[in-house]
Amino acid sequence: PAAGARLIASPPPAVHPAPDPEAQHDPAIARAHFDAGMNAKARGDHQAMLDSLIASAEMGDSDACYELARLLTDGSIVVRDLDTARIYLDRSAELGNPEAIRVLAWNHLRGDYGVVDLQKGVNLMQQAALQSVRAQRELGMLYANIYKPHLSDPVMAEQYLMLAAEAKDGEA
């Protein structure tokens, strides 16, 4: 295996089902499931983590949807499944998760869905930057031509980097 690669004694579990956008549940119960899932993750209890995160995601918790998308994209704890990851990421973004929106922005900016959609990527990154300091920094760096695709707008670069710096972002 490559340096830093994790060996898994048994195959990682698959994650199913995808979130139900029509599900209406108590947000406090959904959050309790999310917290239980993250505690199980910290203990290394991956099955309990998945059970709790899936329950939380099915109840409409944006953080649970985002975490499942991250796990499915990474593939080290669960079976890598980019199609299901995208479903969870889209659902998390629909629920207003700024980090999910930021990741979707990058996916469109890079063309991860088959075509580069610069306008959609910028619009999503601007939306994420309303709540995410990281998105502010990254958008500033895109406008400053530090990140590709170069957006070439020094005024916007300064604006977003100043917002991130004022929020104590050390990289801004």
Side-chain angles (χ1 to χ4, degrees), residues 31 34 53 56 60-68 92 95 97-98:
R31 179 47 56 165
F34 173 77
L53 289 177
S56 180
D61 185 90
S62 70
D63 291 331
C65 291
Y66 181 70
E67 185 64 22
L68 286 166
S92 182
L95 292 165
N97 185 300

Side-chain angles (χ1 to χ4, degrees), residues 15-162:
V15 173
H16 296 286
D20 179 1
E22 301 300 318
Q24 298 288 325
H25 299 281
D26 183 344
I29 295 172
R31 179 47 56 165
H33 281 294
F34 173 77
D35 291 341
M38 297 311 289
N39 288 334
K41 181 180 180 183
R43 292 190 316 270
D45 186 347
H46 297 151
Q47 191 59 59
M49 172 198 68
L50 288 174
D51 292 343
S52 294
L53 289 177
I54 290 169
S56 180
E58 288 174 346
M59 293 180 191
D61 185 90
S62 70
D63 291 331
C65 291
Y66 181 70
E67 185 64 22
L68 286 166
R70 286 176 13 89
L71 291 166
L72 287 158
T73 300
D74 178 58
S76 63
I77 293 177
V78 300
V79 173
R80 184 179 169 122
D81 181 345
L82 296 179
D83 291 333
T84 305
R86 183 169 181 193
I87 292 168
Y88 278 110
L89 186 64
D90 287 344
R91 179 68 175 134
S92 182
E94 288 168 9
L95 292 165
N97 185 300
E99 291 309 302
I101 296 167
R102 183 188 63 76
V103 171
L104 279 177
W106 277 114
N107 291 349
H108 288 286
L109 290 167
R110 289 189 306 250
D112 292 354
Y113 301 137
V115 63
V116 171
D117 189 339
L118 190 63
Q119 191 59 51
K120 185 166 189 168
V122 170
N123 289 343
L124 287 168
M125 191 67 80
Q126 288 171 337
Q127 182 183 346
L130 295 173
Q131 298 178 60
S132 166
V133 173
R134 182 174 178 180
Q136 292 169 353
R137 172 179 24 94
E138 291 176 357
L139 188 54
M141 291 181 166
L142 283 161
Y143 281 123
N145 297 339
I146 296 169
Y147 291 161
K148 290 182 181 179
H150 297 155
L151 299 181
S152 302
D153 188 332
V155 173
M156 295 298 286
E158 181 179 8
Q159 176 185 345
Y160 281 105
L161 289 171
M162 289 296 294

